[in-house]
Amino acid sequence: MRKPTRQQTAATDEQGAGTGPGRGRAAVAVAAAAALAASALTLGASGASAGGGTDETDRPGRGGQRTVCADESLLFCEDFERLPLGGAASMRWGIDTRAGTLTVEKVRTERPGRHGRHARALRVHTADNGRAFMVIPVDPPENSFYGRIRVKVEEFPTAPDWAHYTLVEASGEGAGVVRPIGGQYAPTVPGVFWGVGSDGGPTGDWTSWQESSPSVADRWQCVEWQLDASDNRVQVWIDGDLQEELTVDTETAGGADVPFVFPDFGEVRVGWQLYQGGTTPAEFDLWLDDVAFGTQQIGCDA
């Protein structure tokens, strides 16, 4: 019989914040329509494959480094190199924002083979407890997949107490949302830590943060996850290292003492949301790059 621990602490005011699998559908639809109009010419001319977003340096004759998006076996990939600078728009994914924005910008990256060069990445900006997500449709085989993002968070929250944030969540038909990449500020330590969580399913609203996985600000990191529906297992890697204490499955997840189960995944949100108001800092900025999903672990080398 598993027992919830203090690490499996839910954000106290998430109720009513619109965190369920159906939230923001209207906003996504409007944003997606705008995205189609704004980006049809650019992406239509690019000839991007289903893998998506291939860097211009991958084109024949350019002699540049191949990026992860050159792998056509991936379920989804976006490296932002083919998108115009400015407000983010794509034919392959939608946008959901509230008190937040998504923009494509040139930044210094730390990708293998491209150290110190300027490349395009997605800047995510929110105020207080706002949200800003790219919304990616998925239909993974056997309802299981791996994910990988490169991310740099300028500053994590230090107020209010137990401030809870999400960077990646997956939802669809059925039992709520699964949040493989998120975290929480724990004033009892004190510190800010990565955590796996869920909301809306039979186990309820919980976040299992671990002191062994601190959230590190102002540094590019490679963050990976696996969602394995065979035993509703979530695993997380940071810079290639498995965070064993973050692993949850059907019988070891947090929340109510009932089996933890996945929904039938239909979309993945990648970005940022913080669920409490009165935050420190008052605004949040992070940069995302090389967002990829696959049937095998993608790794941090590409």
Side-chain angles (χ1 to χ4, degrees):
M1 181 75 70
R2 72 176 180 278
K3 297 180 180 179
T5 67
R6 69 177 177 83
Q7 286 86 353
Q8 295 163 341
T9 305
T12 57
D13 62 350
E14 285 189 43
Q15 292 79 9
T19 60
R23 63 178 168 77
R25 299 287 186 182
V28 172
V30 172
L36 287 171
S39 62
L41 179 59
T42 301
L43 291 182
S46 71
S49 67
T54 306
D55 188 343
E56 290 184 359
T57 59
D58 293 329
R59 286 192 277 177
R62 290 301 183 104
Q65 295 288 332
R66 293 174 64 82
T67 73
V68 66
C69 291
D71 184 352
E72 295 183 357
S73 71
L74 292 172
L75 301 174
F76 173 86
C77 192
E78 178 64 85
D79 62 13
F80 307 102
E81 296 298 337
R82 290 291 185 91
L83 298 185
L85 298 176
S90 174
M91 296 176 67
R92 298 180 302 109
W93 44 270
I95 294 170
D96 178 24
T97 62
R98 178 183 60 78
T101 58
L102 299 175
T103 55
V104 178
E105 300 183 357
K106 284 190 175 183
V107 298
R108 284 195 176 274
T109 67
E110 298 176 13
R111 284 185 278 179
R114 306 175 72 184
H115 295 283
R117 77 178 291 271
H118 281 90
R120 299 186 185 201
L122 184 70
R123 180 185 179 187
V124 181
H125 175 82
T126 63
D128 200 50
N129 62 338
R131 68 173 182 263
F133 285 109
M134 55 188 300
V135 184
I136 305 162
V138 295
D139 185 16
E142 299 182 352
N143 205 38
S144 303
F145 68 100
Y146 289 84
R148 201 284 303 275
I149 60 174
R150 297 191 188 279
V151 61
K152 179 181 179 181
V153 180
E154 186 172 86
E155 191 172 358
F156 286 96
T158 55
D161 289 351
W162 307 108
H164 172 210
Y165 49 90
T166 296
L167 280 79
V168 178
E169 68 176 26
S171 62
E173 297 281 336
V177 298
V178 179
R179 294 166 175 156
I181 307 298
Q184 198 156 25
Y185 168 64
T188 54
V189 178
V192 188
F193 305 99
W194 294 115
V196 171
S198 183
D199 192 10
T203 50
D205 177 11
W206 53 273
T207 299
S208 180
W209 55 270
Q210 298 293 337
E211 291 183 43
S212 58
S213 300
S215 294
V216 179
D218 199 28
R219 189 179 81 188
W220 281 99
Q221 291 185 290
C222 173
V223 180
E224 302 175 88
W225 69 92
Q226 179 192 21
L227 299 178
D228 182 354
S230 66
D231 61 352
N232 300 290
R233 180 178 296 268
V234 183
Q235 291 188 292
V236 176
W237 292 259
I238 306 293
D239 291 330
D241 295 327
L242 176 64
Q243 307 298 296
E244 294 185 4
E245 290 190 272
L246 291 181
T247 300
V248 302
D249 59 27
T250 308
E251 299 300 329
T252 63
D257 194 15
V258 296
F260 170 55
V261 296
F262 289 171
D264 183 8
F265 294 124
E267 70 177 31
V268 179
R269 294 169 178 258
V270 180
W272 176 270
Q273 180 165 7
L274 200 151
Y275 302 100
Q276 296 82 20
T279 60
T280 300
E283 297 182 342
F284 296 90
D285 285 284
L286 60 148
W287 288 263
L288 293 168
D289 203 0
D290 294 344
V291 179
F293 308 151
T295 57
Q296 299 180 347
Q297 187 173 2
I298 298 164
C300 296
D301 293 334

